[in-house]
Amino acid sequence: MHRVDLTGKGERVGDGYGRALGAALRRAPGTLRRGLWTTARDPLPRQTWFGWLPHGHLVLLAVFAGVAKMAEYGEAMTVLTPPVELLVILQAASLVLALSRPVPAWWLSTLSLVLLSEIADATVGPDMLWPWSMWGIVLHTFVVLLLALRVPPLVTAATLLLTVLSGLCSAAVPSGIVHNEELAGGALAFSIAAVVGASLRLSRVARNKLVEQEVLTAEERAMRTVLEERGRIARELHDVVAHHMSVISIQAQVAPHLVENPSEELRENLAGIRQNAVEALTELRRVLGVLRAEDPAADSVRHAPQPTLDRLDDLLDNVRAAGLSVDSAISGERRRLSPGVELSAYRIVQEALSNAMRHAPGAPVRVETGYRTTGLTLRISNAPAPRSVAPSALPLSPGLGHGLLGMRERTAMLGGELVAGPTTDGGYEVTATLPLDTPKDGT
């Protein structure tokens, strides 16, 4: 019985795989062309184990293998000719070149192997491996490995295929002399080097992509936290702004009755002011509705009055009841501030106390409030924690924001400054300076 796919999903999945395969096949020629015909510098990546291997070791290996290969050909041939010596030196040099330019190094090593087999074909007997000598295989294996660490797997597979084909072609040329032909061993060594190098490259690329993704995730999380904190601040300041707009509307409505025989122009202007204030209130309510829709938790506190510094003593009593030792002090002449400053100051103290409870439980805390002529100064400091606390054992924060991030956002909104960091005795201190915007009487 055949199963009928009524949804058509199977066809869509198959079409998707087909399109992806077709796109990969279309890109393959370009990838091979760019990968095989390039002289670009490509240094060895530092995060691979070869990258930490001193380059001098590979240079010594190239010299040793070159000398050994020269001796190998010296025993197999009656007289070493200059072309053979030059090609042996060039293949040894290809290993050094592979440290910075792997593709040209592979071409140099492959051409050296091919030309050596053609030149020495009629003079090398059955005592030496053919068409690749033992030390020629060693040198080319390392070149293939260094190549596979840097180029895409498709290019690595192409170079491996070309290397094996070049060996087959060299072995197929008749010379009339019996050779010790052994292509399988060399092909196996090259294949292992290609697989190991490609695997290390894929692992490195995956790690790099993971690191990039983690960075992007951290940036997105930080941006989302900033937006959430700004939305929370906007919701809290809505009542402050709405109060001022309501006062403007009422004053504009009452003003004509305070003037004897007001002119028609004055009535029209005051009516326009009141109408604009009412419209602004309507828009504020709409914006607040959007902000609260994005944060369902805001509905539970939408009717609660926004706190001010007058309620600071209640906040300190609450944290004392939770077991935190808090000492407070006020300097300067205490006076009424603008609602935005009062609200932000209260929230900053609340978040600082929350952080002290989470990260230094049991440590005494001091809250200092200073009324200056230029600004309101808040200083919340705690002594070193009497014991270390594991992150999993941290209590839930009673604050409403995102710790230091929320404090910085509130301070920056008012044009103030915030400094936070460890103290010399091992404790922690938060200092915020908020510019004073003292409201005038009657507003």
Side-chain angles (χ1 to χ4, degrees), residues 353-381:
L353 291 174
S354 170
N355 285 346
M357 293 180 65
R358 296 182 70 246
H359 300 287
V365 181
R366 181 173 177 81
V367 178
E368 299 178 7
T369 307
Y371 291 86
R372 307 286 184 259
T373 56
T374 57
L376 176 69
T377 302
L378 302 171
R379 181 175 178 270
I380 306 95
S381 60

Side-chain angles (χ1 to χ4, degrees), residues 287-371:
V287 173
L288 183 65
V290 174
L291 293 175
R292 282 175 173 158
E294 295 177 354
D295 186 7
D299 291 335
S300 61
V301 295
R302 63 183 304 174
H303 299 299
Q306 297 299 342
T308 63
L309 289 177
D310 293 336
R311 298 175 54 187
L312 187 58
D313 292 336
D314 296 336
L315 173 64
L316 299 181
D317 291 339
N318 289 335
V319 295
R320 290 189 185 105
L324 187 66
S325 176
V326 183
D327 181 23
S328 63
I330 300 176
S331 60
E333 182 182 356
R334 188 168 183 175
R335 57 193 182 276
R336 188 165 59 92
L337 308 177
S338 66
V341 175
E342 293 265 352
L343 173 60
S344 296
Y346 181 92
R347 291 303 190 198
I348 290 173
V349 175
Q350 185 182 34
E351 291 297 339
L353 291 174
S354 170
N355 285 346
M357 293 180 65
R358 296 182 70 246
H359 300 287
V365 181
R366 181 173 177 81
V367 178
E368 299 178 7
T369 307
Y371 291 86

